Amino acid sequence: MTKPMGPRCNIDCKYCYYLEKEGLYPSEKKFRMSEDMLEHYVRALIETSRKAGMKEVAFAWQGGEPTLLGLPFFERAVELQRTHCPDGIQISNSIQTNGILLDDDWARFLARENFLVGLSVDGPKSVHDRYRVDRQGRPTFDKVMQGGEILRRHRVEFNILCTVHRGNAGKGKTVYRFLRELGSPHIQFIPIVERAGSHGGLAAAPQIDAAHANEITTWSVSPRAYGKFLCDIFDIWYRQDIGRVFVQFFETQIGLWSGGLASLCVFAETCGNALAMEHNGDLYACDHFVYPEYKLGNIGKAPMDELVWSERAKAFGAAKKETLTTQCQTCKFRFACNGGCPKHRLIASKDGEAGHNYFCESYTMFFHHAGGRLRSIARALGPV
């Protein structure tokens, strides 16, 4: 994930864990990727992907809010991709946005260049506006819906990203029915949990800061509420939407219950394939671990491929499997969960062992509720 605008954003989501990353760069004023760094990055990612034997190079533009950079930045990015792309390599682009700055010019560009757009929506107006407000505390729902309409009008391919928090977790059926009518068959649900840190900020990842174990923020979704959210949505999806609506969580689980590998890093055995790069070229082991302790280096000072395949990067990836609690290791659902995201290993296991996943109850609820039907779908699809 590339963050060419760093953590800068034009809205102020109350649950956002990334806005405070500005503190990593106290002297930075612009948080804007320079053209020199942009060209260096384009060349480096193409070359690193080529060395890995990949035939497609995927550029994933995130933030903050990347559209704050303006359309000319991305027009230049595409121009550089064409300039430096060798024969036999395919380029793809995706961009995650709150949709507020989208207009007809943006949409024409996104359609012409085949960008996949991720549009952030938390549900109907009353739910979305609970936490997704602008810098002045004003609601954003109407502007987001306008952005979605512009994407539909220009036939831009997009998916919906919905965060699940205390404000919408109890409204799973309503949220799902609303989102599936927005014009995209692809929906992602991202559960939100963070711990309150000192001085009003957020605590660091548990691997860095274990001192705030029980200080869960008021907007974080509870494990039981998230589990029920998944179960309620699955029941509707299973009855009405198989083959019509593609929910990332369900699709990933079907693959795992079919004996395949995880298509989502959260449920993979190891980590390390979802690196994050800041506007200045600083490369971190993961988007959820943008802390000094997990900085791999800077692509302007060391070749990207050396950083990506460094011993530090490998150790970070392997730690996910190596630090499972005994409860995880002996769980019958380990194949479908693998201990979840290490950032969420905030609680103690049933045996009192530290480093257990906060969402263990959520996933266990879901697997007990939906496992039989997941297995039936997996059988119908055949072996992966």
Side-chain angles (χ1 to χ4, degrees):
M1 298 181 185
T2 309
K3 298 175 181 290
M5 196 70 181
R8 287 286 171 87
C9 191
N10 54 346
I11 66 175
D12 187 20
C13 299
K14 300 310 177 187
Y15 52 69
C16 183
Y17 68 90
Y18 220 86
L19 293 179
E20 69 175 23
K21 299 301 179 183
E22 287 189 12
L24 291 173
Y25 304 97
S27 62
E28 182 64 75
K29 302 299 182 184
K30 293 183 178 180
F31 280 97
R32 181 184 180 92
M33 182 179 284
S34 69
E35 181 160 342
D36 286 345
M37 177 53 70
L38 174 61
E39 181 164 15
H40 182 79
Y41 167 60
V42 168
R43 295 176 67 177
L45 185 59
I46 290 173
E47 180 62 13
T48 300
S49 301
R50 189 191 62 77
K51 286 183 177 180
M54 301 169 66
K55 297 299 182 183
E56 179 178 339
V57 182
F59 288 83
W61 307 97
Q62 302 242 347
E65 176 50 47
T67 60
L68 283 170
L69 286 160
L71 188 51
F73 176 90
F74 290 95
E75 291 173 331
R76 178 60 176 157
V78 169
E79 180 183 342
L80 289 169
Q81 290 169 358
R82 291 195 178 108
T83 298
H84 296 295
C85 185
D87 292 339
I89 298 293
Q90 185 79 25
I91 298 286
S92 68
N93 285 280
S94 63
I95 185 169
Q96 184 64 41
T97 177
N98 57 41
I100 289 176
L101 296 180
L102 296 179
D103 57 17
D104 289 325
D105 288 339
W106 265 107
R108 278 189 286 267
F109 166 79
L110 295 169
R112 182 177 69 249
E113 302 299 339
N114 296 312
F115 270 59
L116 172 62
V117 177
L119 185 66
S120 296
V121 188
D122 279 1
K125 184 177 177 65
S126 61
V127 174
H128 178 94
D129 287 338
R130 172 82 177 269
Y131 294 126
R132 297 188 69 83
V133 295
D134 68 13
R135 295 300 211 182
Q136 286 73 46
R138 297 172 299 196
T140 63
F141 178 83
D142 291 340
K143 291 182 179 179
V144 176
M145 291 299 100
Q146 181 179 349
E149 173 56 33
I150 291 171
L151 294 177
R152 288 190 295 272
R153 188 166 68 243
H154 289 272
R155 298 183 179 181
V156 177
E157 184 180 359
F158 71 99
N159 58 33
I160 301 296
L161 189 150
C162 175
T163 56
V164 185
H165 45 69
R166 195 170 295 263
N168 63 4
K171 302 177 175 67
K173 295 177 182 178
T174 299
V175 168
Y176 175 70
R177 286 172 175 143
F178 174 79
L179 296 179
R180 71 180 180 182
E181 302 305 322
L182 291 183
S184 171
H186 298 278
I187 303 174
Q188 302 176 45
F189 292 108
I190 309 295
I192 298 293
V193 59
E194 293 287 346
R195 300 172 303 157
S198 305
H199 309 296
L202 299 176
Q207 292 81 359
I208 301 171
D209 179 7
H212 299 85
N214 298 315
E215 299 181 24
I216 302 299
T217 59
T218 57
W219 35 258
S220 294
V221 61
S222 73
R224 181 164 292 275
Y226 182 51
K228 186 175 187 307
F229 182 93
L230 291 172
C231 293
D232 286 349
I233 290 172
F234 182 82
D235 289 345
I236 301 173
W237 176 84
Y238 185 81
R239 289 195 308 268
Q240 302 175 7
D241 295 326
I242 292 179
R244 188 176 78 90
V245 178
F246 301 90
V247 178
Q248 184 188 49
F249 182 93
F250 303 157
E251 301 296 321
T252 299
Q253 286 303 319
I254 290 168
L256 287 165
W257 286 70
S258 299
L261 299 175
S263 57
L264 184 62
C265 63
V266 171
F267 300 118
E269 271 196 304
T270 59
C271 290
N273 293 327
L275 291 83
M277 195 187 80
E278 287 291 333
H279 64 292
N280 67 342
D282 285 348
L283 191 66
Y284 292 85
C286 174
D287 182 49
H288 283 172
F289 286 83
V290 177
Y291 303 101
E293 294 85 347
Y294 293 96
K295 180 180 170 181
L296 300 176
N298 186 287
I299 68 166
K301 299 177 181 178
M304 179 185 279
D305 60 319
E306 291 184 9
L307 299 177
V308 170
W309 296 313
S310 66
E311 292 304 314
R312 289 190 65 204
K314 292 176 183 177
F316 171 80
K320 179 180 183 181
K321 182 178 181 180
E322 295 169 352
T323 56
L324 287 175
T325 62
T326 302
Q327 182 180 335
C328 276
Q329 293 177 38
T330 58
C331 178
K332 67 178 181 180
F333 297 124
R334 177 179 171 179
F335 74 94
C337 172
N338 286 305
C341 179
K343 176 72 180 294
H344 298 154
R345 294 180 179 178
L346 306 174
I347 63 173
S349 70
K350 292 178 180 178
D351 300 325
E353 192 176 354
H356 199 66
N357 197 289
Y358 177 84
F359 291 114
C360 176
E361 181 182 7
S362 316
Y363 300 143
T364 303
M365 279 178 64
F366 176 77
F367 298 144
H368 280 297
H369 180 79
R373 285 172 286 178
L374 290 171
R375 192 173 288 110
S376 295
I377 297 171
R379 282 200 208 98
L381 292 174
V384 174

